[in-house]
Amino acid sequence: NPGGSVKDRLALGMIEWAEKNDLLKPGQTVVEASSGNTGIGLATVCAARGYPLVVVMSESFSIERRKLMRFLGAKVVLTNPAHKGTGMVIKAKELADKHGWYWPDQFTNEANAWIHSITTGPEISDAFKAEGKELDHFFTAYGTGGTLKGVGEWLRNNSPGTKIHVCEPNNSPMLYSEIKTTYPPDEKPAKSFEVAHPVWRPHLLQGWAADFIPMLVSKAVDTGYVDQLHHTDGKKAMQVAKDLATKEGIFSGTSGGGVLSSALEFAATLPEGSN
């Protein structure tokens, strides 16, 4: 992951998929809505392949991510934080329609999940097999749904005994509410999509839960890829992320800290020898 997160995989997967299916032309501008990590991943891929990149990002997300994307050659368009994650998506589509840019739409793009089903999932399984162990529990946040759906598909088909645990912010329990996001017929943003999910609240876990449930997440839930939900405290996530950096030398950010904090709490309840 040269850009520093698992989102590098979906960035490469979506661009390669678009190239293979003639959706992206040489030199065509790519535009995407991102809280940061997908934007950074796309910036690395687009820089290497010669595509101009425009990233639409809410002004509430970290300045450091903006700087990284711009350093990699991307242009960053900031949106009003009051318009939340949905506002970023709508703006990205608006720019794509106006200028003829390619919009991968990571929240609905099946290539996002596909890349994890052929890389992340098998790699996790192989790592445990190399140690002669079975994977009992897998923890992930849901974000766009790509990791959840892709790895979930791999585990169900190749490691059916593995329980899949999904984390979401404890003050924004959208999956727990079982209230689904209503999508327009073409699954793209529309006026009805501008209304935030009724239980969504601002939280500290950037990139974990936008103000809607992405299509890929809904598909993963409906397919049965979620065995247990966990509700993660943002402050604990930040502390665990700091501990990972200072005690283990692993720089993961709040996403990794959040998933690990929930996994550690759950692990404390398990019998010895569980994986």
Side-chain angles (χ1 to χ4, degrees):
N1 302 324
S5 83
V6 73
K7 296 299 184 70
D8 293 346
R9 298 177 179 224
L10 78 88
L12 181 62
M14 292 193 303
I15 294 299
E16 288 187 339
W17 181 273
E19 290 173 338
K20 183 178 180 180
N21 290 279
D22 296 323
L23 301 173
L24 179 60
K25 309 303 181 185
Q28 186 178 4
T29 296
V30 177
V31 60
E32 182 59 286
S34 170
S35 65
N37 283 334
T38 296
I40 293 167
L42 280 171
T44 62
V45 175
C46 289
R49 300 204 175 202
Y51 300 112
L53 173 67
V54 176
V55 178
V56 181
M57 181 178 180
S58 171
E59 196 172 4
S60 61
F61 294 125
S62 69
I63 293 174
E64 292 80 6
R65 298 183 191 191
R66 296 181 219 167
K67 290 180 176 179
L68 279 170
M69 288 184 282
R70 286 172 174 152
F71 189 77
L72 288 162
K75 293 182 179 179
V76 180
V77 174
L78 299 177
T79 59
N80 189 328
H83 298 160
K84 303 176 283 296
T86 304
M88 302 187 327
V89 176
I90 291 172
K91 186 63 176 179
K93 183 179 186 297
E94 176 187 301
L95 291 171
D97 290 344
K98 180 178 180 180
H99 300 289
W101 295 345
Y102 175 64
W103 175 40
D105 188 10
Q106 60 173 328
F107 297 104
T108 66
N109 194 326
E110 287 291 343
N112 179 355
W114 164 77
I115 195 68
H116 291 294
S117 70
I118 65 170
T119 60
T120 315
E123 288 169 19
I124 292 170
S125 294
D126 290 347
F128 278 85
K129 287 178 182 177
E131 298 292 327
K133 299 177 180 178
E134 294 291 331
L135 176 59
D136 300 315
H137 302 278
F138 169 70
F139 272 72
T140 184
Y142 58 82
T144 64
T147 304
L148 169 60
K149 188 172 184 292
V151 175
E153 179 182 342
W154 170 265
L155 291 176
R156 285 290 188 259
N157 292 331
N158 297 277
S159 183
T162 301
K163 299 298 183 183
I164 300 173
H165 300 257
V166 177
C167 306
E168 62 180 352
N170 63 356
N171 66 327
S172 190
M174 294 190 292
L175 292 186
Y176 179 78
S177 74
E178 297 186 351
I179 300 172
K180 295 187 176 183
T181 291
T182 301
Y183 299 93
D186 62 356
E187 301 179 3
K188 304 299 182 186
K191 292 295 181 184
S192 62
F193 201 59
E194 295 178 9
V195 180
H197 191 283
V199 304
W200 182 86
R201 299 292 182 273
H203 54 83
L204 296 175
L205 295 148
Q206 292 189 29
W208 262 35
D211 56 299
F212 60 94
I213 298 175
M215 178 64 68
L216 292 177
V217 177
S218 293
K219 289 180 178 179
V221 172
D222 292 343
T223 310
Y225 293 163
V226 179
D227 292 310
Q228 187 169 340
L229 283 172
H230 298 263
H231 294 96
T232 306
D233 181 85
K235 290 183 179 179
K236 287 183 179 178
M238 296 176 73
Q239 183 58 54
V240 172
K242 184 177 180 180
D243 291 343
L244 266 177
T246 58
K247 296 178 182 180
E248 301 290 344
I250 299 173
F251 188 63
S252 74
T254 53
S255 291
V259 172
L260 182 58
S261 67
S262 287
L264 288 172
E265 290 179 0
F266 180 74
T269 70
L270 296 175
E272 187 175 349
S274 300
N275 298 308

